[in-house]
Amino acid sequence: VDPGRLPASRTEGRLGAGAGPAGLLTSLSHWERLEGLREEDPAARFPAWMAGEDARMPRHRVDAGPRALTDLRRALRAGGPVLLAGCPFHDTAGRALTLEALAEALPDSLQLDVWSSEAAKARFYRCDQGKNVYGTMYHVREPEAQELRMGMREVRGCIATWTKRLVFAETVLMGADGSVPKPGELPEFTPAGEKLRSLLAGLDWEWLQRFLKGGGFGAFWQLRLQCGMRNGLLPAQYESHDRLLFQVAGRRRVLLLSPSHALEGVYPFAVHHPYDRYSMVDFDAWDQGKWPKFEGVRGTTCVLSPGEMLVVPRLWFAHVQELDSGGLTLEARVGPGSRLLPADAAPLTLSRRLEERVAAMEGVQEVRHWLGLIGRGDEMDWIDPSTTRGYKRVRFCTMVRDEVERSLGGEGALPEFFAKMCDGRLQPTPWLNANFREPLYLLDRPVLVEDTRTEQEKAFPEFFRTKLRRDG
């Protein structure tokens, strides 16, 4: 091969310029190219050891014969994530869903939920303002992502022109009464008009109905639109419902983590925290001293390309990175149906229930304290059983211990489970407010007052206070 005859853009390989014949070595492995990654794509925003080549998610197809369909049904019954290529729901009709078409179809009166973040961080945490109460132990003074409201035309303009800040937009396109709508009988959307109705009517709703029924899913209840920019990140977060992600435009790198890792290294925020359901770990810059168990977390990954669908089961953490600007995703939210939760999800669901119950009984600030007491068996040192409140506490602690034994099996699971619940969790999160400064302080100016106190007034301040009051 004559290196001089290869394109100039391919003259640098994985080992750098001049490392060998141009174009023969690249920075991408074979499986990364098969996944649809490109040389110019941003680097993965999670440690490489979390998902190696053996963690790639297999792609299923519905048009690859009976054996492929059998494999697809088996994967759906297993209850884990499923990646489907050539999805009939939107593979053809979805091509008409572009930013330009949506900007024309969605009226300016329909305001999208938009999160804006500095390009240096490009992370979109959704802060639950209902839990972000001033003065509480979990109060976030200034959320990392700024929340805005924009029309679709404005969102398209931001995606096309913004460089110092990135945006992520989301809105509900349609809600249903529990059944999958038929093409000719689409329910009323948000105030969107006939243009959006004609765009969505072209999707294969009959196929979706068959898929949900065959996969054991529950009722279809919402379809959402998501728009993102290159390298924007939706940090690891789980939901209480199953999600179907239909990629319409652009690509996404998705890392999925099993709920078994929730209390074994992912460190989710407390239930009463404004960032509830997110991981506290910064995947971009892991702090081993603060989150030591994160080193053992492993996940499964894929690159979600246009025409593909990803099933994200409930309680699975999804860490999503946009690879292209102007990416469009349709998210269908569905009920659980006959799909049972796996046994490894029990600690996460149980921990949520216990956090809520202990907070209702003792207050949010006391959750960690009382869970630690119950786990060590020291609760009676803090209870006066002769009082009404003490009697209620005894019954409550007994109920908590019984529920853990019933859910996880055996009394021996108590200390370990409560230790995992409290490890690195259920305490203030001061690093979220580390760089916050009270806005009024920005206008502060020092005021110097002459010290007119006498020696006697310095020795006895009450004399000086009397003088000040007398002088008004």
Side-chain angles (χ1 to χ4, degrees):
V1 177
D2 180 6
R5 300 181 63 181
L6 293 173
S9 60
R10 296 176 58 194
T11 58
E12 293 189 10
R14 178 172 9 194
L15 302 182
L24 297 186
L25 293 177
T26 70
S27 60
L28 296 180
S29 64
H30 174 66
W31 74 266
E32 287 174 327
R33 288 191 174 277
L34 292 179
E35 283 287 305
L37 290 171
R38 304 167 188 165
E39 295 280 352
E40 65 274 13
D41 286 338
R45 299 189 63 176
F46 55 83
W49 44 260
M50 292 186 67
E53 294 189 20
D54 57 343
R56 285 182 297 155
M57 199 178 305
R59 279 177 166 79
H60 299 272
R61 298 192 67 92
V62 296
D63 56 356
R67 184 171 180 177
L69 288 176
T70 301
D71 292 340
L72 175 60
R73 294 192 188 99
R74 186 181 298 113
L76 290 172
R77 285 197 298 269
V82 175
L83 178 60
L84 182 63
C87 176
F89 177 69
H90 70 299
D91 190 23
T92 302
R95 298 171 188 172
L97 290 172
T98 63
L99 277 176
E100 292 72 19
L102 289 170
E104 292 295 327
L106 296 175
D108 294 334
S109 59
L110 176 61
Q111 297 288 293
L112 283 72
D113 296 318
V114 179
W115 290 266
S116 172
S117 175
E118 296 179 359
K121 292 185 177 180
R123 294 184 303 199
F124 304 105
Y125 286 100
R126 309 178 199 186
C127 183
D128 187 346
Q129 296 299 336
K131 299 179 179 179
N132 197 24
V133 180
Y134 182 81
T136 59
M137 64 182 293
Y138 295 137
H139 178 53
V140 179
R141 305 297 297 273
E142 186 176 12
E144 184 173 312
Q146 182 183 6
E147 296 185 23
L148 307 169
R149 299 279 290 174
M150 295 184 184
M152 190 63 199
R153 296 177 189 271
E154 293 178 277
V155 172
R156 181 184 62 172
C158 293
I159 292 176
T161 60
W162 283 19
T163 57
K164 294 184 178 181
R165 296 187 69 88
L166 303 186
V167 295
F168 173 79
E170 185 176 44
T171 189
V172 178
L173 290 182
M174 60 182 293
D177 56 1
S179 60
V180 176
K182 297 180 180 179
E185 302 176 1
L186 294 180
E188 290 299 324
F189 308 92
T190 52
E194 291 300 321
K195 291 184 178 180
L196 178 61
R197 180 180 291 271
S198 62
L199 286 175
L200 297 185
L203 301 174
D204 195 341
W205 295 99
E206 293 181 359
W207 177 88
L208 180 60
Q209 188 173 21
R210 295 195 303 270
F211 178 81
L212 295 180
K213 183 177 181 181
F217 293 94
F220 166 89
W221 56 279
Q222 201 173 77
L223 183 70
R224 305 176 73 90
L225 172 69
Q226 298 178 347
C227 314
M229 295 179 67
R230 172 185 166 88
N231 204 35
L233 181 69
L234 301 179
Q237 180 192 28
Y238 68 89
E239 296 286 359
S240 59
H241 49 263
D242 292 324
R243 292 175 285 169
L244 311 181
L245 302 182
F246 302 96
Q247 195 64 18
V248 176
R251 296 163 300 137
R252 281 179 157 186
R253 179 189 278 117
V254 183
L255 173 69
L256 296 179
L257 304 175
S258 166
S260 62
H261 292 296
L263 302 181
E264 297 280 359
V266 179
Y267 300 96
F269 281 99
V271 170
H272 297 88
H273 198 283
Y275 291 156
D276 177 27
R277 301 191 310 276
Y278 282 101
S279 169
M280 290 190 285
V281 183
D282 183 354
F283 285 29
D284 289 325
W286 165 45
D287 186 339
Q288 187 173 9
K290 186 182 294 184
W291 320 113
K293 291 184 179 179
F294 184 67
E295 187 175 11
V297 175
R298 297 294 183 271
T300 181
T301 184
C302 72
V303 175
L304 191 59
S305 301
E308 296 182 339
M309 179 196 73
L310 176 62
V311 177
V312 182
R314 54 182 169 152
L315 301 183
W316 277 68
F317 289 84
H319 188 75
V320 182
Q321 178 187 10
E322 302 284 354
L323 297 179
D324 302 301
S325 277
L328 294 175
T329 306
L330 294 177
E331 178 188 293
R333 298 185 174 184
V334 297
S338 60
R339 290 165 57 88
L340 300 178
L341 280 174
D344 57 11
L348 177 58
T349 57
L350 179 60
S351 68
R352 290 191 64 88
R353 292 200 303 270
L354 294 184
E355 286 181 47
E356 292 172 347
R357 292 177 183 177
V358 175
M361 182 72 178
E362 301 292 342
V364 174
Q365 295 182 342
E366 299 295 327
V367 172
R368 179 184 174 90
H369 171 69
W370 280 97
L371 288 177
L373 291 176
I374 297 172
R376 296 188 301 270
D378 297 336
E379 65 271 17
M380 293 307 298
D381 294 341
W382 292 75
I383 295 176
D384 181 1
S386 64
T387 64
T388 301
R389 182 170 181 78
Y391 173 72
K392 291 181 179 179
R393 282 176 168 171
V394 170
R395 293 193 57 186
F396 177 76
C397 292
T398 302
M399 179 272 296
V400 170
R401 298 172 70 91
D402 290 344
E403 183 165 2
V404 174
E405 292 177 7
R406 189 168 52 248
S407 301
L408 303 182
E411 186 176 352
L414 281 171
E416 182 181 3
F417 172 70
F418 285 114
K420 291 177 180 178
M421 277 190 67
C422 298
D423 183 18
R425 305 181 61 247
L426 308 178
Q427 50 193 345
T429 51
W431 66 88
L432 296 177
N433 299 319
N435 298 321
F436 176 79
R437 188 180 181 191
E438 189 69 44
L440 294 180
Y441 292 171
L442 301 179
L443 303 178
D444 278 355
R445 294 292 184 273
V447 178
L448 302 179
V449 179
E450 183 181 358
D451 187 358
T452 60
R453 294 176 296 169
T454 64
E455 293 300 325
Q456 187 181 29
E457 289 171 343
K458 291 180 180 180
F460 303 98
E462 182 60 31
F463 290 159
F464 186 61
R465 285 195 290 268
T466 303
K467 175 184 175 181
L468 292 177
R469 286 194 292 267
R470 184 180 67 244
D471 296 342

